Amino acid sequence: MKLHPILLVGVSCWVASCEKINNPLFDSAAEASYVAQYRPPVFSDTARIKRMKDVSPAIEKVYREFFEKNHYPGMAFGIVADGNLISSGAFGLAAIEGKTPVTLKTGFRIASMSKSFTAMAILRLRDEGKLNLHDAVAKYIPEVGKLQYLTRDSRPITIEQLLTMSAGFPEDNPWGDRQLEDSDEDLRALIDQGISFSNAPGLTFEYSNLGFAMLGRIVTATGGKPYQQYINENILRPLQMNDARWEFTEVDKRHLATGYEWGEGQWKEEHMLHDGAYGAMGGLICSVEDFSKYLAFHLSGWPPRNDQESPVLKRNSLREMHQLQRLGGFFAENKDRSGKLCPAISGYGYGLAYRRDCSGTVSIRHGGGLPGFGSEWRFYPEYGIGAVALGNLEYGGGGLGSVNSKALDTLIYLAGLGPRTLPPSTLLEQRQQELSGLLPSSWPNDKLSIFAENFFLDLSLESWKKSTAELFKEIGKIVKVNPVVPENQLRGSFLIEGEKKDLKVFFTLTPEKDPLIQQLDLAVQPKTPK
């Protein structure tokens, strides 16, 4: 499925204005020239999408086997890459009574996957200047100002602490799930009566549905309309998520999944709660077809670049949601797909969970579970891929997380996917060229302006002349100078191939306006096998 062009703003230039740098910081010609030196990471493999589509049957098999093994009445999945829904499937029944089949248009209650929509609304309001993440929550919900904390030295809870689930509230999944249709007045009354804290604010992560219900109130207070309407108008509709709803009675029954639990060898229908004040933590109803557009939008936030911005949310704010804001745990016994030990850390960003393993692979995700429903979505920013799975089985989020993980890992393995690679900046290429021409020479004074003021204070010019002469004698006649391999915009390395041995050259530049070489490391190594 080809996604709507608005999702691709920033993925590739589809309007003429993409050629302009849409940032007031880069108005002058000099600054624009500096920005032009930046080259974003890219996928050098032009056949990656074809290979992903070729292995779609294997991916569908992963989901189908999971569906059949775990007694789901119905389930749907989607795989998104580079702005497109490249693989999808739907199995089973949306409603057992009536034998309504699941399709990609079937709306499931996505539970806590709703939290990222609320977080996105908060960041959008922040970008509009209507709130600050460090504002005290009491500024927007007066009842919070009367709360009694665990300790007298606690500071008032902030919006950011609600976003990162570090306000000190206790984990409240079983209780919170049943509050979904509470009214705004019910929420205000709860806060007014006082809230019990499990920790002092700002110290640690603890999952809180109540905190996101409060964020919904803040969106309403600062957005000038109910949070549902604000999210509909500013996120869902611009992303063409036209079938997403908060209230289940507004969904065509032909496209609404009924929730079930599995017990005593059969499925039992769960009672559906109406929309209410707690919908901001878990009330949205969405299909795989629609959610794939939202997933594509998150992926479009990567990498940082100079393209036109989306009207929904700035890319830097989108990426801000994906960053580790609050550490959750360290998994020393984590293993990769081959069974090799690969420790990982996890935590929470803004309405999204974060995980990074020993290989540096980052996954951003969130599960969802409510009576009758389970859901999960995740994406790998560096690989440009993501998955969503929705089911109508009670609290199926954990299980769907495992199948999404298996599906994406299988996709990476079978399609031979790699992460984006960073091209060298024009400045790195310039310094490499200058350095390459200087190293084998006698280091004439008129060529030394590429070095920073510290360079010859750290090691004298005479020492450099002597050591480099010895190194180039050791490697023999220069055969080839390879392109620079960047670590970032101002640091990289390259290989000089000699007749006898090779020379690895590493250099890093200063933070000055005209970056100079501040460090240079040279290491002789055996010839690289051809």
Side-chain angles (χ1 to χ4, degrees), residues 137 141-148 169 175 183-197 210 214 217 278:
V137 174
I141 307 176
E143 292 83 1
V144 171
K146 299 187 293 182
L147 293 180
Q148 183 176 346
F169 300 147
W175 172 84
S183 67
D184 289 343
E185 186 54 45
D186 291 332
L187 178 58
R188 283 193 294 267
L190 173 75
I191 301 170
D192 194 49
Q193 291 167 11
I195 293 173
S196 296
F197 286 80
L210 173 61
M214 288 184 179
R217 286 292 310 151
Y278 282 75

Side-chain angles (χ1 to χ4, degrees), residues 59 63 75-81 85 87-91 104 106 108 110 113 117 241 286-296 299 364-368 374-379 385-391 400-401 403-405 407-408:
I59 303 303
Y63 284 102
M75 196 177 96
F77 77 90
I79 303 289
V80 171
L85 181 62
S87 180
S88 59
F91 319 121
L104 297 184
T106 299
F108 293 80
I110 65 172
M113 285 167 55
F117 291 88
M241 299 175 67
C286 199
S287 67
V288 162
E289 184 176 281
D290 267 2
F291 198 89
S292 296
K293 301 170 185 177
Y294 183 66
L295 200 167
L299 285 170
I364 312 298
R365 61 163 296 276
H366 213 291
S375 57
E376 206 258 5
W377 69 298
R378 64 180 56 206
F379 60 95
I385 59 174
V388 56
L390 309 176
L400 290 175
V403 73
N404 277 342
S405 176
L408 290 178

Side-chain angles (χ1 to χ4, degrees), residues 441-475:
S441 76
S442 59
W443 294 58
N445 290 334
D446 62 345
K447 301 292 185 181
L448 302 183
S449 60
I450 62 173
F451 296 102
E453 60 182 317
N454 69 286
F455 192 82
F456 295 114
L457 295 175
D458 298 336
L459 186 65
S460 71
L461 175 59
E462 291 305 314
S463 296
W464 276 111
K465 288 180 179 180
K466 180 180 179 180
S467 62
T468 53
E470 293 172 350
L471 291 172
F472 278 93
K473 182 178 180 180
E474 185 176 355
I475 71 171

Side-chain angles (χ1 to χ4, degrees), residues 108-111 113-114 117 180 231-232 236 241 244-246 275 279 281-286 291:
F108 293 80
R109 189 153 250 163
I110 65 172
M113 285 167 55
S114 308
F117 291 88
L180 194 62
I231 293 173
N232 288 348
L236 301 181
M241 299 175 67
R245 296 289 185 274
W246 299 91
D275 182 36
M281 66 85 181
L284 193 59
I285 297 168
C286 199
F291 198 89

